[in-house]
Amino acid sequence: MAGCVRKETISRNKPRFGQRWLAEGFKPNGLRCLALIHLRERPEVCGRPTMRVWPRSSLWRIQAKIETAFLSQAALALKLYYVCGMSDLTILDMNWVGRPHSIAAALLVSGGHYAIIDPGPESTYATLREHLHSRGLSAAQLDAVLLTHIHLDHAGASGSLVRDNPRLAVYVHNLGAPHMIDPSRLLASAARLWPDTLHQLFGETLPVPKENLRILEGDETLTLGTRKLEVAYTPGHASHHVSYFDAAEDIAFVGDTTGIRIDNGPYILPATPPPDISLEIWENSFAAILARRPSRLFLTHFGYASNPAEHIDEFRRRLHHWAELAAEVLKSSSDEAQAKQGFVARAQAEMQEQIGAEEADHHAFTAGLDLSFLGLARYLRKRAEAEATV
Ligand SMILES: [Zn+2]
């Protein structure tokens, strides 16, 4: 970060056509950020102290605003080449089991405050530390971990982080908190779902002491340095799922609430593992996200998704389609194992048709197609039981 920060005095003596000059912008959220501007015309205006950058904005917005401001202010043909400095929001690729672009954590820096949204499983904790190290940070410097939910692929590294940094605050929904303090039930049910590969996939999940937890219900506003994050309760994928909204960045960190979409790609698929799936409750969470009108979604699997309204429409369509597919194969199969095979084969084939075999395999692995079937089967069974008792 420090290596990026350079300053050059702007003076009337120095500029000439093609002169590049640096103007120190500001300290967005405690970080220095410089803009490199190439003056193409009217070099005599170089002495103007016009550099201004907008705090708590994402880099692209800073760029756009500088350009607009300069151009409209003096009708200058100024071109912004780049904005240098560490972004205050960084995607960290956890490279889960050697697969890039499957699990993403977000590093948020604001006013000297360091937070991570969903640090990932314990099996990728070494990767997380490497990411921090490459930015001149360590686990000991983090202030907060914000969990969207407690599933191992999102929250598993939390206990290790607290072991290495006992002052760390771990934000989690009320319903998930007991399983962070004592993960034994969570691990037992995970062991049933991944009987042979639990450790390889998720590593050694450590408990988080109660005093490190900050309990959320939804509707809180968190202050992290100079950044404010709104919390919304967004169940559907899990009963204890929350999403975080950063109004300054215009981003919603939605965990698994709006499914899986790798790098804003063409295919959006649900992750519907047992035991909490509910399509009805999920609908309220879509509304909660859309009501805040974010311009982008940040998905744990994987990265930014643009146009949240279109994304959620497509996700909803696929979610309901998969629920129908699960009901169909359950009806036509002799038992649940056969139904699971049928569901996975049909879902894989649909994906392959749209994105090819290699990408379909990556999507299926990241989502856990067989788990998605088990979650949908359980949801359908519970719904049928509830209807029978009415
Ligand atoms: Zn997940």
Side-chain angles (χ1 to χ4, degrees), residues 149 153-154 237 256 301:
H149 62 302
D153 56 327
H154 295 250
H237 170 82
D256 288 348
H301 320 286

Side-chain angles (χ1 to χ4, degrees), residues 369-383:
L369 277 190
D370 48 348
L371 299 189
S372 283
F373 169 77
L374 294 175
L376 288 168
R378 183 183 158 95
Y379 159 73
L380 293 166
R381 210 164 42 237
K382 273 167 42 182
R383 197 176 67 176

